[in-house]
């Protein structure tokens, strides 16, 4: 009985050795192919179709970055029947005009990284809804601070100027959604819409 187990173990070991040998051969063949491709890239006259389009479309980055960023919060409250209210808090980011800017691009910066999508606009202010709720009027703006805090941690925006001749400015600093650059008592506006 021990001989059967021993021969079974030897067979399994042999299979593992063959499997690892095949994997090793495959790795070497892929690596050789990569080396050949790398040698072709280095040769004169070789045109890389993937990188050619990317590098030719990349805008030239110029200094300085967009400055004078100011972020504020404003609240809008609508009175509803049965002593309810519907409210929204908007976060607005504005910046100084950039010389020769044709437009501006904004990029969302998330906890996971920067968004690949850019939002282009001609206006020098960007406004989004940062918090909203519907609740009893007596509760005020229920959970507003908690919702804004979650946005401050998770989402921010940065802006750059778009110029002529495929040029852009450097990116501004990232501003957290829900954060303000002025005290909230000065930056918060409450409007009631019956």
């Amino acid at each position: 009985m021990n001989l059967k187990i021993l021969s079974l173990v030897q067979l399994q070991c042999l299979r593992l050795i063959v499997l690892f040998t095949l994997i090793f051969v495959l790795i070497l063949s892929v690596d050789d192919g990569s080396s050949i491709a790398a040698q072709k890239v280095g040769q004169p006259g070789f045109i890389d179709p993937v990188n050619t389009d990317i590098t030719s479309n990349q805008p030239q980055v110029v200094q300085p970055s967009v400055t004078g960023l100011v972020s504020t919060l404003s609240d809008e409250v609508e009175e509803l029947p049965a002593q309810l209210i519907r409210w929204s808090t908007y976060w607005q980011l504005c910046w100084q005009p950039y010389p020769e800017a044709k437009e501006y691009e904004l990029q969302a910066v998330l906890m996971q990284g920067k968004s690949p999508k850019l939002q282009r606009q001609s206006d020098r202010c960007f406004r989004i809804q940062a918090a909203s709720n519907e609740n009893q009027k007596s509760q005020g703006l229920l959970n507003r601070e908690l919702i804004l805090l979650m946005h401050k941690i998770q989402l921010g925006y940065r802006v750059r100027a778009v110029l002529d001749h495929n040029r852009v400015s450097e990116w501004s600093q990232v501003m957290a959604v829900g954060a303000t650059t002025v005290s909230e008592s000065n930056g918060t506006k409450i409007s009631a819409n019956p």
Side-chain angles (χ1 to χ4, degrees):
M1 190 125 144
N2 286 338
L3 290 176
K4 287 183 179 181
I5 293 174
L6 184 59
S7 64
L8 196 60
V9 169
Q10 288 175 340
L11 183 61
Q12 291 294 345
C13 287
L14 183 60
R15 285 181 180 169
L16 282 174
I17 291 171
V18 170
L19 180 65
F20 284 127
T21 305
L22 285 173
I23 291 172
F24 185 70
V25 169
L26 283 173
I27 290 172
L28 285 179
S29 66
V30 169
D31 190 46
D32 286 343
S34 299
S35 298
I36 292 169
Q39 290 170 359
K40 286 182 181 177
V41 169
Q43 292 176 352
F46 177 77
I47 298 174
D48 184 357
V50 173
N51 292 327
T52 302
D53 292 335
I54 293 172
T55 55
S56 65
N57 290 334
Q58 291 295 321
Q60 177 188 359
V61 179
V62 298
Q63 292 183 354
S65 63
V66 172
T67 58
L69 278 71
V70 176
S71 58
T72 57
L73 294 172
S74 61
D75 297 311
E76 294 179 9
V77 180
E78 178 185 352
E79 291 190 21
L80 302 172
Q83 295 296 309
L84 294 173
I85 59 170
R86 179 182 300 129
W87 60 269
S88 295
T89 299
Y90 292 90
W91 179 76
Q92 181 169 295
L93 176 65
C94 296
W95 51 89
Q96 294 292 324
Y98 195 91
E100 302 177 30
K102 302 300 175 198
E103 291 180 301
Y104 296 93
E105 288 180 332
L106 289 117
Q107 182 179 43
V109 180
L110 311 164
M111 284 179 55
Q112 300 85 1
K114 297 173 185 81
S115 170
K117 295 180 181 179
L118 302 179
Q119 181 173 337
R120 193 173 274 206
Q121 64 180 48
S122 57
D123 206 12
R124 286 187 306 105
C125 287
F126 173 72
R127 184 177 188 239
I128 61 169
Q129 185 180 47
S132 65
N133 203 354
E134 189 173 306
N135 51 265
Q136 292 291 319
K137 185 176 182 178
S138 61
Q139 294 173 312
L141 307 182
L142 184 65
N143 294 327
R144 176 185 182 268
E145 297 305 316
L146 179 63
I147 297 168
L148 291 175
L149 179 61
M150 287 175 28
H151 280 299
K152 286 178 195 176
I153 294 169
Q154 297 177 358
L155 178 63
Y157 278 90
R158 63 184 190 166
V159 63
R160 70 180 179 185
V162 178
L163 311 168
D164 281 338
H165 311 296
N166 199 27
R167 296 178 304 140
V168 294
S169 73
E170 288 186 346
W171 285 107
S172 71
Q173 65 184 7
V174 176
M175 300 295 286
V177 170
T180 59
T181 54
V182 294
S183 68
E184 229 174 274
S185 60
N186 293 338
T188 301
K189 302 170 204 156
I190 298 178
S191 62
N193 300 323

